[in-house]
């Protein structure tokens, strides 16, 4: 009825009754719903502010794509570093990002 490792083979009627359920806890709601939602709000606010900043400074609005492209390239590089060196490699990069953000660079 099941494999040696406890994996059901799908033939027994009991296997059909076993369904995976999502946990309903505040931790799940925070991690899987609220934090991504707040991240989306922050990202949306920043992108709207970038175009308004360019317009306020009198710069051509067509140049907004340059910092956006640099930001997305930086994101790709950061993800590749995380995949290659692991999660702990992102802590120094996160600290550098925090310092640059505080300094307003």
């Amino acid at each position: 009825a099941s494999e040696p490792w406890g994996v059901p083979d799908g033939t027994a009627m009991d296997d059909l009754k076993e369904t995976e359920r999502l946990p309903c806890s505040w931790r799940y709601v925070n991690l899987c719903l609220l934090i991504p939602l707040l991240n989306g709000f922050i990202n949306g606010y920043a992108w709207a502010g970038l175009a308004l900043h360019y317009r306020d400074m009198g710069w051509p609005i067509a140049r907004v794509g340059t910092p956006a492209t640099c930001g997305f390239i930086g994101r790709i590089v950061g993800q590749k570093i995380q995949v290659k060196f692991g999660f702990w490699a992102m802590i120094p990069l996160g600290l550098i990002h925090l310092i640059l953000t505080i300094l307003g660079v």
Side-chain angles (χ1 to χ4, degrees):
S2 68
E3 296 292 325
W5 299 282
V7 178
D9 61 1
T11 58
M13 197 61 159
D14 292 334
D15 295 340
L16 297 175
K17 293 179 183 176
E18 294 178 15
T19 58
E20 184 175 348
R21 296 178 189 244
L22 293 175
C24 186
S25 66
W26 283 110
R27 181 181 173 124
Y28 173 78
V29 170
N30 283 332
L31 290 176
C32 296
L33 299 175
L34 291 179
I35 291 177
L37 182 68
L38 291 174
N39 187 28
F41 286 152
I42 290 170
N43 288 339
Y45 178 77
W47 286 113
L50 180 65
L52 292 174
H53 174 70
Y54 264 67
R55 191 169 179 196
D56 189 40
M57 297 299 287
W59 298 334
I61 198 74
R63 291 188 187 169
V64 174
T66 303
T69 302
C70 291
F72 285 121
I73 289 172
R75 180 184 289 182
I76 292 170
V77 169
Q79 289 173 349
K80 294 295 181 186
I81 290 172
Q82 183 178 359
V83 167
K84 184 170 183 164
F85 298 111
F87 177 73
W88 293 105
M90 294 308 292
I91 292 175
L93 293 175
L95 288 174
I96 292 169
H97 181 253
L98 178 66
I99 291 168
L100 291 174
T101 303
I102 290 172
L103 295 176
V105 175

